[in-house]
Amino acid sequence: MAQLRQFKLPDVGEGLTEGEILSWLVAVGDTVTVNQPLCRVETAKAAVELPSPFAGTVTELLFDAGTTVDVGAPIITIDVGGPADAAPAADEPAAAGTGTGLIGETNANGRTAVLVGYGPRSTEAKRRPRRGQPVEAAAARATAPQVLPEADYGSGGDRPPLLATAPDATVKPVRHGGLEAARAAEAAAARRPAEPATRTPSATAGRGALRPLAKPPVRKYAKDLGIDLTTVTGTGEGGVITRADVDAALAAPAAPEAAPTAAGDTRIPIKGVRKHTAAAMVASAFTAPHVTEFLTVDVTRTMKLRERLAARPELAGVKVSPLLFVAKALLLAAKRHPMVNSSWDEAAQEIVVHGAVNLGIAAATPRGLIVPNVKDAGRLSLAELAGALTELTETARAGRTPPADMTGGTITITNVGVFGVDTGTPILNPGESAILAFGAVRAMPWVHKGKVVPRQVTTLALSFDHRIVDGELGSRFLADVGALLHDPGTALTF
């Protein structure tokens, strides 16, 4: 007998509520193994592959590619039972007094073989039909494939936020084809007061969506009138949609239509990374009081040092970019001014000074702006930091950033100079107290040793949370970063 398991969309980040299925990596009928990738999902922070928690055969893909699904909603059904030809042939007699021991078979003693831990039963359990329900319908339900509990990772408060790679051991199988669970659910439903049926757009979209509760005559009545039952709130017992509900929906004023799109205009859905970025930037801009300071620096000595270091064997194979020296300067300055590497805890009314600097690097990707971070970057040597930055940006642009790299950042650098921009007023990453914008390095006239000569010059912009970082601290921190970039030898005094 088929044993169907449904895999729910897990929370692959910190408190994410939805994700878009970018593509399916399996099809109906495919045989999958545990941890085999099933699909690619774009969350609010990155695109990730979801591994299968079950081994078996794919029976149904509950949503099409391109559908946005709520966390906790089943997305795929897998048959984890044995093949249909595993049953013994009818002409193979069982040994006297014993059965073949196959699951579901009744032996000579009247006992049915069941899975270990499911408990024996002496007779075949049969479910009585509901009142008013044809016996044939009840018999069809009794022979339907058994649906076991879904895999649910990270959707509860006591579950880890990241992906699990095996089925949840706390979920116990249902006995006797779900009979006891069904009766318990019916009893619980009978004890609860009737509630109106409520549906969200995500619950009614895509394959596998919930079907509105209504009797066949009401469905035909609504169809004849052109009423979509998914938009109707049922007032009958248990949220059932009645004929009066359809009449009320017909009499209700039509919702105003969206303004027509002008010729040549394009509407782009706000979702995924862009939706998360928009919400985060609005929350940051209207929560943390921003202050931005600017500093123009002669970085000629740093650029010459870059050329010398790039030729050293210990830095072979890594990218020695100007961003590397800005990152190293920031890490050294943060060590001198640890309050810059802090966050504001509104609930506890405390300032959290972080011991490790998790350095975020803003990266532009085809799906939008993301900010992965290098964990405890202050402990890395220059060569290790160069490798970490290269790997971070390449992984981000390829869309393979793991969720762990998207969380826990404490301070950020945004390199606007790669676009030829001199500077800007960056907005803080939520939960951080400072962000440094690094502008383009240009040859500009500069007074050097009393003469106006061309020098390599850049502009730095530091935005900080004025609740944590006051003007003096922000100015000293920015001045230290500038001093290190102007004369890298200053690092010996830090």
Side-chain angles (χ1 to χ4, degrees):
M1 183 179 69
Q3 293 182 349
L4 307 182
R5 301 292 297 268
Q6 290 185 326
F7 176 40
K8 293 181 179 179
L9 178 66
D11 179 0
V12 294
E14 291 186 344
L16 300 180
T17 60
E18 64 183 15
E20 179 186 355
I21 299 177
L22 297 177
S23 62
W24 284 104
L25 305 179
V26 296
V28 173
D30 288 354
T31 300
V32 297
T33 59
V34 174
N35 290 337
Q36 177 179 336
L38 297 175
C39 62
R40 294 182 69 249
V41 174
E42 181 182 50
T43 67
K45 297 183 177 181
V48 297
E49 292 183 350
L50 298 185
S52 174
F54 312 122
T57 303
V58 177
T59 61
E60 186 176 12
L61 306 180
L62 300 178
F63 292 94
D64 294 326
T67 304
T68 299
V69 183
D70 288 339
V71 168
I75 60 174
I76 187 172
T77 303
I78 299 176
D79 180 5
V80 299
D85 57 359
D91 56 352
E92 294 181 4
T98 62
T100 59
L102 293 175
I103 303 305
E105 181 187 88
T106 302
N107 60 22
N109 297 325
R111 300 176 66 86
T112 302
V114 293
L115 291 177
V116 176
Y118 278 42
R121 53 181 174 175
S122 58
T123 58
E124 191 68 23
K126 296 182 179 180
R127 181 174 178 172
R128 64 175 179 83
R130 295 179 180 176
R131 289 193 299 269
Q133 182 184 31
V135 176
E136 293 79 2
R141 181 180 288 106
T143 59
Q146 177 183 2
V147 180
L148 299 179
E150 301 91 341
D152 182 6
Y153 303 140
S155 59
D158 58 345
R159 298 178 186 255
L162 300 179
L163 284 177
T165 56
D168 189 349
T170 64
V171 177
K172 298 182 179 179
V174 180
R175 294 182 58 194
H176 306 328
L179 181 60
E180 285 81 356
R183 288 177 175 170
E186 288 177 355
R191 292 192 297 268
R192 291 195 303 266
E195 298 177 357
T198 58
R199 294 177 177 84
T200 61
S202 61
T204 59
R207 297 168 58 188
L210 296 176
R211 192 181 185 193
L213 299 177
K215 295 181 179 180
V218 177
R219 293 184 185 279
K220 184 179 185 305
Y221 181 62
K223 182 179 179 181
D224 294 341
L225 294 177
I227 300 297
D228 183 2
L229 288 181
T230 61
T231 64
V232 180
T233 299
T235 59
E237 182 179 358
V240 175
I241 299 175
T242 64
R243 188 183 183 95
D245 296 329
V246 176
D247 292 335
L250 182 64
E257 296 184 359
T261 302
D265 292 352
T266 303
R267 290 181 176 268
I268 302 175
I270 302 173
K271 57 184 179 180
V273 174
R274 189 171 299 278
K275 181 177 180 180
H276 173 75
T277 301
M281 293 300 97
V282 170
S284 176
F286 291 97
T287 301
H290 285 55
V291 174
T292 305
E293 294 185 340
F294 306 91
L295 180 64
T296 304
V297 185
D298 176 5
V299 294
T300 305
R301 294 177 183 175
T302 294
M303 300 305 290
K304 291 180 178 179
L305 176 63
R306 175 199 173 200
E307 295 176 359
R308 296 196 301 270
L309 291 180
R312 296 185 64 87
E314 56 267 30
L315 291 174
V318 296
K319 185 178 181 180
V320 183
S321 65
L323 177 63
L324 171 63
F325 295 92
V326 175
K328 192 63 176 180
L330 180 144
L331 293 170
L332 291 172
K335 186 176 181 180
R336 175 177 282 189
H337 308 285
M339 282 293 291
V340 174
N341 189 48
S342 303
S343 59
W344 183 275
D345 189 338
E346 182 67 29
Q349 286 296 291
E350 294 175 341
I351 295 175
V352 182
V353 182
H354 302 289
V357 179
N358 295 339
L359 179 60
I361 303 295
T365 72
R367 288 184 301 276
L369 178 70
I370 64 174
V371 188
N373 61 82
V374 179
K375 298 294 189 291
D376 200 4
R379 63 177 173 79
L380 302 179
S381 65
L382 191 66
E384 292 171 335
L385 183 60
L389 293 178
T390 300
E391 180 181 2
L392 199 75
T393 54
E394 289 179 352
T395 302
R397 288 167 184 159
R400 302 192 309 270
T401 302
D405 287 350
M406 300 292 297
T407 60
T410 60
I411 193 170
T412 297
I413 297 175
T414 175
N415 185 10
V416 298
V418 295
F419 305 109
V421 175
D422 291 328
T423 190
T425 55
I427 298 178
L428 293 170
N429 207 28
E432 301 177 10
S433 62
I435 179 172
L436 180 69
F438 173 39
V441 178
R442 304 181 185 277
M444 297 180 64
W446 195 265
V447 178
H448 178 66
K449 296 181 179 180
K451 297 181 180 180
V452 178
V453 294
R455 302 286 286 181
Q456 297 293 313
V457 178
T458 189
T459 301
L460 305 174
L462 177 72
S463 291
F464 51 87
D465 185 344
H466 215 329
R467 297 174 299 177
I468 303 173
V469 182
D470 57 25
E472 179 186 5
L473 176 58
S475 299
R476 290 183 181 277
F477 175 79
L478 182 58
D480 281 346
V481 174
L484 288 164
L485 293 175
H486 172 67
D487 183 5
T490 307
L492 296 175
T493 65
F494 275 63

